[in-house]
Amino acid sequence: MASLLYRLGRFSARRAWLVIVAWLAILALAGGAFALFGGTLSSAVSIPGTPTQTVADELSAKFPAASGGRGTVVFTTTNDSAFTDAQKTAVGDLLTRSLSLEDVKATTNPFDTQAQIDGQATTIADGRQQIVAATTQLDAGQAQLDAAKAQITDGQAQLDAATAQAEAAGQLAAAQPQLAAQQAQLDAGAAELTAQQATLDEGRATLTAQSTTLEQGASLLDLAAEIRLVSTDETTAVASIQFDKSLNLVSAEAKTALVDAMDAAAIDGVAVEVSNDIASSIPEILGPGEIGGVIFAAVVLFVMLGTLIGASLPLINALIGVGVGVLASLALSGTVTMLSVTPVLGVMLGLAVGIDYSLFILNRHRVQLRNGVPLEESIGLANGTSGNAVVFAGSTVLIALLALNLTGVPFLGLMGTVAAVCVFVAILIAVTLTPALLHLTGVKILTKKARARIGRAENRSRLPLKPMKTVRAVVTVIAGIAVLLTIALPALTMRLGLPAGSSEPVTSSAYKAYKLTDDKFGAGVNGPLIVVADLAEAISPDNLVSEQVRIGTLLKAENNVVAVAPIGASDDDLLLAFQVVPADGPTSVTTEQLVLDLRGMDIAGVTSLGVAGNASGNIDVSEKLAAALPLYLLVVVGLSLIILIFVFRSILVPVTATLGFVLSLFASFGAITAVFQWGWLAPVFGIHDPGPILSFLPILVVGILFGLAMDYQLFLVSGMREAYVHGTPARLAVQRGVHAGRTVVIAAALIMTSVFAGFVFSNSVMIQSIGFGLAVGVLLDAFVVRLLIIPAVMHLLGDAAWWMPKWLDRILPNVDVEGAALERSHPGAFAGELKPEPQVVATTSV
């Protein structure tokens, strides 16, 4: 590989303009592909096969009226006064017009619906009064009827007595016609009373049935009493927008059209805010913060290299690489659903590795030029040595990023693939465009002072002659580990989730909608749940309301449930749907526990109870990603061990490198948790509403920091190994390896940190947390683990650090990452230098 890259470097130098034009043409083609085939980005995070998606699919199949994603639009008066009739009419007209927009299935007029709810309460109150009045009338009628019955009974007794007297006097025959007439009169009266009693009983049964129906309706109304669409002060109203498909399937164009329609409403005296379900912000791909990070990187490059040409060359390479990688990836956004954070991650990684990869080749070339190596030969040799390490270290990053596809999470796999494309382009540019630009700049890559001393012996740096003190090494290891473990402590309480409206920029419509809803209606209204009960037997229409009351009452009895409202039944009467409003917001611990409690309920007559909704979907996504993290971490850690065993032909060096990676990783998690979840230093980083950590952030940080750890470990420890195999004592070799590589490691770490830190001030909390996590991870891994702990551990291990079983040493291939064989085959490369100092070549990447 080193020889191939050597020839590639010389070819690129000789055909410099051809290479430059070729890359510019590739950049133009990528831009054209994006213009022709690029689509819009999505802000909805979803994973197929989750319990929430299963419930959504069931609703779509059995209960289409209740299926489809939902979002809200909040209307509030600008002068904090009650809505006028004209304003209510304008809001209603706007919602009606919205029905003509793409993917919008239904809208809910908050004023009409609230009026119906209030009317139902009035109807129930009136109905109860009517039932009381009717009951009073029935009771009075019953009393009259009972009195008439008593009269009939008394008349019958008197008639029976008269009949007995007539019979005793022997005059029964003479009195019989009169007695018979009286008896007929009494019988007719009794028959009439019996009929009146039947009528009365029927009326009472009807009244009882009406009362039962009324009380069942009252029970349903009581269950949903806390659900309001118009605030009690009548200054704010929430309208529901229902789509004909799940939110993650609604096109960005359709959401944008809805937001535009709301923004253009211009209702006098009314502000319109759209929830983040519909209007979540798309992060800027390159904002002021990111530009500031690049400027800081340019300053570091200038300080290190001493020339504007030298400082600009890595930046030019990185920008071209980012342009090619990101534009080519965005060209796919028209055919695949791409999360809005995906291209930003590509920019982030492309800039960082693009600058550093070019820097390492450029730095090696500068050293060789100062030693008197001819220009073209120096370019080829730098490409074959440092470029070889660039390819190797970049390959480890590619593997880590592409391994994200193993998590089984489609959007995360796509993010890893796009990032891998940007890293791959950065590698190609480093080993082709860098040599071409170096040829054009010639010796001007050096300062005037350095050019005046080309080939002189004084250019060679002085090597350390003594190893570090053992006491210092012990203190460094203990202190370094203690610092990392302390920073990692907050990670023990890390909670994973997805951003809600509270994490949107404070000036955004989504944030205002979230806060208005929270303030006027309660936090839980921002994350209502859809609960679906699958019944064992079909419910009859007569029993529907009573079954809704029974199940709804059980749901309301769960902890942290504020209200339950029935949605309806499926066409086959085997499914009942309810809206459940939790006590707290969609990202709260209590809401997460509520979803689990609802799914675990055992209700008689219900075969299964499913939960759907945006809050439930976010919880499912976070759980699946958290479950995928251990396996991914195991794969990455195992891969790092194998790769380092090949490179360093040692057992303990890979183990210490991997343990250092794990320490810096969890320290990064701790810092992220402290700032974004606990709210420490939140004002400094612009975090206005701390909450759960982005659910896919840990996996991303694992993959990216893995590549970083490999690169810095390669850069420093390969220098130690090269000195050791050339006969330097093990502990002294540690010092010489650090001496040879520390300047470039520090510069590279500062550059990468500045690029990542620039994204901390993005308008998206997702980008903020990713940038912060990677910036902290770079600082801790480079300055604490690689520059302090690893050298101290290597010192304490001494010769044992390079031990390997002989049988394993025989079967392992020789991985010449440093390109030492290439150096030996070009002895003239060091003409003018008394004795070549071991030159360590590796790369820094993410």
Side-chain angles (χ1 to χ4, degrees), residues 3-23 26 313 317 361 365 375-384 387 426-442:
S3 297
L4 175 63
L5 290 172
Y6 169 79
R7 294 193 297 271
L8 179 61
R10 292 188 62 119
F11 170 83
S12 298
R14 290 194 301 266
R15 301 287 189 273
W17 284 111
L18 175 63
V19 172
I20 293 172
V21 171
W23 275 112
I26 293 172
L313 192 146
N317 287 348
I361 296 175
H365 172 60
L375 178 64
E376 192 172 303
E377 176 69 8
S378 177
I379 292 173
L381 187 61
N383 213 49
I427 296 171
L428 292 180
I429 282 186
V431 298
T432 57
L433 187 57
T434 300
L437 294 176
L438 287 176
H439 183 268
L440 293 180
T441 57

Side-chain angles (χ1 to χ4, degrees), residues 73-77 83 91 94-95 110-111 235-239 262 265 267 270-273 516:
V73 179
V74 181
F75 300 90
T76 186
T77 55
F83 285 98
V91 169
L94 173 61
L95 293 172
F111 303 108
T235 63
T236 307
V238 177
M262 295 300 160
I267 300 175
V270 176
V272 184
E273 312 294 353
L516 278 170

Side-chain angles (χ1 to χ4, degrees), residues 559-572:
N559 291 331
N560 300 303
V561 173
V562 170
V564 177
I567 296 175
S570 60
D571 293 338
D572 59 7

Side-chain angles (χ1 to χ4, degrees), residues 496-769:
L496 301 179
L498 291 174
S502 59
S503 62
E504 295 290 329
V506 292
T507 57
S508 68
S509 179
Y511 181 82
K512 294 175 182 177
Y514 187 95
K515 288 300 183 181
L516 278 170
T517 303
D518 192 335
D519 180 48
K520 298 291 186 177
F521 301 96
V525 178
N526 278 306
L529 305 173
I530 303 298
V531 176
V532 173
D534 289 302
L535 305 179
E537 297 179 358
I539 190 73
S540 66
D542 294 338
N543 296 327
L544 174 61
V545 175
S546 62
E547 189 69 359
Q548 287 177 328
V549 170
R550 182 180 75 88
I551 296 176
T553 302
L554 294 174
L555 296 176
K556 180 69 162 43
E558 288 294 308
N559 291 331
N560 300 303
V561 173
V562 170
V564 177
I567 296 175
S570 60
D571 293 338
D572 59 7
D573 295 321
L574 285 170
L575 180 150
L576 296 180
F578 300 85
Q579 183 188 62
V580 174
V581 177
D584 299 310
T587 62
S588 69
V589 177
T590 58
T591 301
E592 180 178 347
Q593 186 59 47
L594 175 60
V595 171
L596 300 177
D597 292 342
L598 290 173
R599 287 173 175 168
M601 287 184 67
D602 185 12
I603 300 178
V606 177
T607 58
S608 65
L609 202 67
V611 183
N614 298 336
S616 169
N618 290 349
I619 291 169
D620 289 342
V621 169
S622 300
E623 284 187 350
K624 185 154 186 175
L625 288 169
L629 178 59
L631 175 61
Y632 182 72
L633 183 60
L634 181 63
V635 170
V636 170
V637 170
L639 183 63
S640 70
L641 284 171
I642 295 172
I643 290 174
L644 290 178
I645 288 174
F646 271 81
V647 172
F648 297 116
R649 309 187 77 80
S650 165
I651 298 297
L652 293 181
V653 170
V655 171
T656 57
T658 302
L659 291 177
F661 157 64
V662 173
L663 280 173
S664 60
L665 173 68
F666 283 101
S668 175
F669 288 170
I672 294 169
T673 303
V675 173
F676 288 87
Q677 183 176 313
W678 291 5
W680 288 8
L681 301 176
V684 175
F685 299 101
I687 310 302
H688 47 77
D689 288 79
I693 303 304
L694 184 63
S695 53
F696 53 84
L697 177 64
I699 290 183
L700 280 181
V701 173
V702 167
I704 294 170
L705 286 187
F706 160 68
L708 167 68
M710 295 305 96
D711 292 351
Y712 287 165
Q713 184 77 8
L714 259 171
F715 193 80
L716 291 171
V717 180
S718 60
M720 301 175 193
R721 174 173 173 77
E722 188 173 357
Y724 178 73
V725 298
H726 282 83
T728 304
R731 291 183 170 179
L732 182 57
V734 172
Q735 284 293 84
R736 292 188 174 180
V738 173
H739 177 79
R742 64 188 177 189
T743 301
V744 181
V745 165
I746 291 172
L750 289 176
I751 289 170
M752 190 168 291
T753 300
S754 66
V755 171
F756 290 150
F759 289 86
V760 175
F761 303 98
S762 168
N763 65 335
S764 166
V765 71
M766 291 194 291
I767 302 301
Q768 284 181 305
S769 58

Side-chain angles (χ1 to χ4, degrees), residues 84 131 223 268 281 353 392 398 548 563 569 576 587 589 725 737 771 779:
T84 65
I131 287 175
L223 289 174
D268 186 31
S281 60
V353 302
F392 176 82
L398 292 178
Q548 287 177 328
L576 296 180
T587 62
V589 177
V725 298
L779 283 176

Side-chain angles (χ1 to χ4, degrees), residues 138 142 145 194-207:
L138 286 175
Q142 185 67 54
L145 194 62
T194 301
Q196 290 177 359
Q197 183 65 58
T199 300
L200 198 65
D201 290 342
E202 183 179 354
R204 191 177 295 279
T206 300
L207 194 62

